[in-house]
Amino acid sequence: MPAYEFPGGIYPPERKERSNQTPLRTAPLPDVVTLALAQHVGKAALPCVSVGDRVKTGTPVGSRDGMISAPVHASISGTVIEITDSAIVVKSNGEDRWETLPPLDWKNAPRQALLERLDDSGLIGLGGAGFPTYIKAQVNEQHAIETLVVNAAECEPYITADDLTLRHYAADVIEGAQLLAHLCGATQILIGIEDNKPQAIQALEAALAQLSLAANVTLKVIETRYPSGGERQLIKKLLNLEVPSGGLPADIGVLCHNPGTLLAALHAVRDGQPLVQRVVTLTGDAIRQPGNYWVRIGTPVSALLEHVGINHDALHQVVVGGPMMGTPLASLEAPVTKTTNCLIAATQEELPPAPEEAPCIRCGACESVCPAQLLPQQLHWYARAENDTALETLNLFDCIECGACSFVCPSVIPLVQDYRASKQRIRHKRIETAKAEHAKHRFEFRQARIAREGAEKQARRQARLAQQRPTGNDASNVPAAPVADLRSLRIAQTAAKAAVRKAEKVLARTAAQDPHQRHDDLETQLATAQENLKAAEARLAEARAASEHKEAP
């Protein structure tokens, strides 16, 4: 298979050897876990336990709220000791007893059962985006998916979680890919991996050798270049396809998944294990035992760093994620979440503070390395001027915030920080603009609920009248209730179903395009459509019952 090229890209120091030289290990069970209710794109989960409740590893403690959300499960067995607006705290009893779900054979289980399992397991994308997997698995209901891409590039410096996952679980990752391909209807699976992971490549080749030719799984080794792990860049590199501006990979028949996500999906379906742990890279010059560890969700970062031998005197900062796209941690008491793939305990010499920025010299270096083919220089000027109209015209939201432009800037301008701030400002404006529309949709939801309750009340009333109506000769003297037009009601029901499907599609697509924005308004529109559908079904059921009674002898 030929290799294609995406534009731009850079070659930063990889610094992966510090964490990829030891086998995958398991971190000790924490004494206390803090389970954030918002570890995913969309609405935070709703607590479904109370203080004092005893839980097992895998017990649901937070339930999904709305369509774009995900459940949260206890990652240790113990007692719930605190519930706040943002998290649930569980103290361990040291036993680690599990509560699992019944195993499923994904090759023979009904599709809906598999989707419900992904949903119930709290599975989200572990590559960083955090999008609920059960929604992504249904994308073929709106798009024809031809190719499932396993994004094993892991191009960010320092991070080796996917590398070690593939070395130890190559066959399971491939089976997880087959499971997701089965759900989304993909006819081929393409694994893209950079050539700086020879042991993972060898493990994949050995696993692929055990598959039949009918499996249609292909391994493609690509050159190491940052950011080849970006969805759009990897799709271009592997398939020579362009994801349209403002679009999604599904628009061109492609779906991407991270190896960690695929492994977690298989564990959820085959083994009945909810998402309560993940592989985390622990690295940086300020720790003595770097490597990759299975870590329970909710583990305090401080406890994790103590386990690997943190040197507090040398520690300058802890970065969550990689040095290019990661963010400094404000407190070491913060917990590990489902999207935590790497913690860098860096010394000041390793990741020094950025020098003071200088004026832009218009060298154009940022433009030459931009993998999204944007105009970083102009985006920078308009971002500083807060010219949001111009920023949107220049496709600001196509920026993947890879940091390549900031990396090569001779003036040390924090370009990505400017872009992030501008995106947040634009999102805030959109939210403010949508508030009036949201109020309108809330009113429509209330009216739909009233209509649905009225229809259900009328249906119950007609059912009671039908039971009380006399039979035989006496019935001829009793006027029959008017029978509604069944054809019109069936049309209304079909239209209501279409409205629900449309609202679900719009919500899922909007959330995938802009994962950082709240979507309360779209959730309300979906709820309104669902209420209208319930009302339409109640009216149709009432009319059918009346029609059947009229026709009865």
Side-chain angles (χ1 to χ4, degrees):
M1 179 182 294
Y4 305 100
E5 292 299 332
F6 62 87
I10 56 176
Y11 300 89
E14 294 179 25
R15 298 180 181 176
K16 294 178 181 282
E17 67 283 347
R18 186 162 170 76
S19 62
N20 67 6
Q21 302 301 307
T22 55
L24 183 60
R25 291 170 281 185
T26 300
L29 290 177
D31 295 328
V32 175
V33 293
T34 302
L35 303 166
L37 293 169
Q39 304 184 50
H40 47 264
V41 169
K43 287 186 175 182
L46 297 174
C48 58
V49 290
S50 302
V51 172
D53 285 356
R54 295 181 179 180
V55 296
K56 296 180 180 180
T57 303
T59 299
V61 296
S63 58
R64 174 164 63 86
D65 181 19
M67 179 179 171
I68 311 296
S69 185
V72 177
H73 300 78
S75 57
I76 56 174
S77 59
T79 305
V80 177
I81 60 173
E82 184 181 0
I83 298 177
T84 67
D85 292 339
S86 60
I88 295 172
V89 183
V90 179
K91 182 175 178 58
S92 174
N93 59 13
E95 297 178 359
D96 196 31
R97 295 184 178 180
W98 280 71
E99 178 180 326
T100 58
L101 297 167
L104 294 174
D105 177 4
W106 64 266
K107 295 179 181 178
N108 298 309
R111 183 173 186 271
Q112 189 58 37
L114 296 175
L115 292 173
E116 289 176 359
R117 174 57 57 86
L118 297 180
D119 181 13
D120 294 340
S121 301
L123 191 60
I124 65 171
L126 300 185
F131 195 78
T133 305
Y134 89 98
I135 296 178
K136 201 169 179 179
Q138 302 175 71
V139 70
N140 63 322
E141 295 176 6
Q142 297 95 40
H143 303 274
I145 301 300
E146 298 176 0
T147 305
L148 186 141
V149 170
V150 180
N151 187 347
E154 198 168 45
C155 60
E156 179 100 3
Y158 281 90
I159 308 176
T160 56
D162 289 344
D163 183 2
L164 269 291
T165 297
L166 289 169
R167 293 188 200 181
H168 288 77
Y169 304 100
D172 282 349
V173 170
I174 293 173
E175 186 174 354
Q178 292 175 309
L179 160 63
L180 267 297
H182 169 69
L183 283 173
C184 72
T187 56
Q188 67 170 337
I189 298 171
L190 191 54
I191 305 172
I193 186 169
E194 287 189 332
D195 57 13
N196 61 352
K197 304 172 183 62
Q199 294 183 49
I201 294 170
Q202 185 177 8
L204 285 168
E205 289 173 340
L208 289 174
Q210 304 300 316
L211 296 179
S212 66
L213 294 177
N216 205 11
V217 183
T218 305
L219 175 65
K220 177 62 180 177
V221 181
I222 61 176
E223 68 158 330
T224 299
R225 176 162 57 116
Y226 181 83
S228 63
E231 272 191 340
R232 294 167 182 251
Q233 288 68 45
L234 187 61
I235 290 171
K236 175 66 176 177
K237 187 81 175 176
L238 298 178
L239 298 166
N240 197 28
L241 296 175
E242 298 274 0
V243 178
S245 176
L248 299 170
D251 295 334
I252 55 173
V254 181
L255 200 64
C256 292
H257 277 293
N258 167 270
T261 309
L262 299 172
L263 179 61
L266 184 66
H267 285 168
V269 173
R270 184 191 65 188
D271 307 323
Q273 294 181 3
L275 181 55
V276 298
Q277 61 183 347
R278 67 155 299 149
V279 176
V280 180
T281 300
L282 301 177
T283 185
D285 291 344
I287 59 176
R288 290 187 290 272
Q289 300 175 46
N292 285 272
Y293 295 78
W294 278 107
V295 178
R296 295 295 174 93
I297 306 299
T299 301
V301 170
S302 57
L304 203 52
L305 294 180
E306 290 295 338
H307 173 68
V308 295
I310 186 71
N311 183 344
H312 289 282
D313 294 332
L315 180 65
H316 170 58
Q317 64 176 336
V318 175
V319 176
V320 181
M324 301 297 295
M325 299 182 70
T327 56
L329 199 61
S331 169
L332 296 186
E333 295 309 310
V336 170
T337 67
K338 295 178 183 180
T339 56
T340 305
N341 60 352
C342 179
L343 293 169
I344 305 174
T347 62
Q348 186 159 351
E349 295 75 19
E350 186 178 13
L351 294 178
E356 186 175 350
E357 71 173 87
C360 174
I361 61 174
R362 296 176 172 82
C363 64
C366 55
E367 183 179 345
S368 66
V369 300
C370 178
Q373 292 186 288
L374 301 177
L375 300 173
Q377 195 179 101
Q378 294 187 37
L379 288 172
H380 160 63
W381 295 332
Y382 288 127
R384 293 285 173 94
E386 298 190 4
N387 188 336
D388 296 338
T389 302
L391 289 172
E392 294 195 67
T393 302
L394 292 171
N395 300 317
L396 170 66
F397 283 89
D398 282 351
C399 170
I400 62 173
E401 301 178 16
C402 65
C405 54
S406 300
F407 184 81
V408 301
C409 179
S411 298
V412 203
I413 300 173
L415 296 167
V416 173
Q417 291 183 26
D418 289 346
Y419 305 153
R420 284 175 180 165
S422 295
K423 286 180 180 180
Q424 189 59 35
R425 183 178 63 251
I426 293 172
R427 290 188 187 108
H428 180 71
K429 286 184 177 179
R430 290 175 179 175
I431 291 172
E432 291 298 313
T433 303
K435 280 186 176 179
E437 191 71 14
H438 185 47
K440 172 188 172 185
H441 290 143
R442 285 177 62 86
F443 173 77
E444 291 175 348
F445 171 72
R446 180 175 179 274
Q447 295 300 105
R449 178 174 55 80
I450 292 173
R452 188 256 304 168
E453 291 173 350
E456 291 175 348
K457 183 178 180 180
Q458 180 66 14
R460 290 193 295 270
R461 179 174 175 273
Q462 292 294 339
R464 287 196 301 270
L465 289 175
Q467 291 177 352
Q468 297 170 3
R469 185 172 292 119
T471 58
N473 296 329
D474 295 336
S476 60
N477 300 321
V478 179
V483 179
D485 181 1
L486 287 175
R487 182 174 180 276
S488 297
L489 291 176
R490 282 195 293 266
I491 292 173
Q493 181 199 35
T494 302
K497 286 182 178 179
V500 170
R501 288 195 296 270
K502 180 180 179 181
E504 289 175 341
K505 291 178 183 178
V506 171
L507 178 56
R509 183 178 186 84
T510 305
Q513 288 176 329
D514 195 354
H516 305 286
Q517 186 173 342
R518 290 182 62 86
H519 305 286
D520 294 348
D521 186 45
L522 294 177
E523 291 274 7
T524 302
Q525 291 185 50
L526 174 58
T528 302
Q530 290 169 337
E531 289 289 335
N532 285 327
L533 175 58
K534 291 176 183 177
E537 289 175 338
R539 286 191 292 266
L540 180 59
E542 172 196 346
R544 282 174 173 164
S547 176
E548 290 171 359
H549 180 80
K550 182 179 179 181
E551 294 172 358

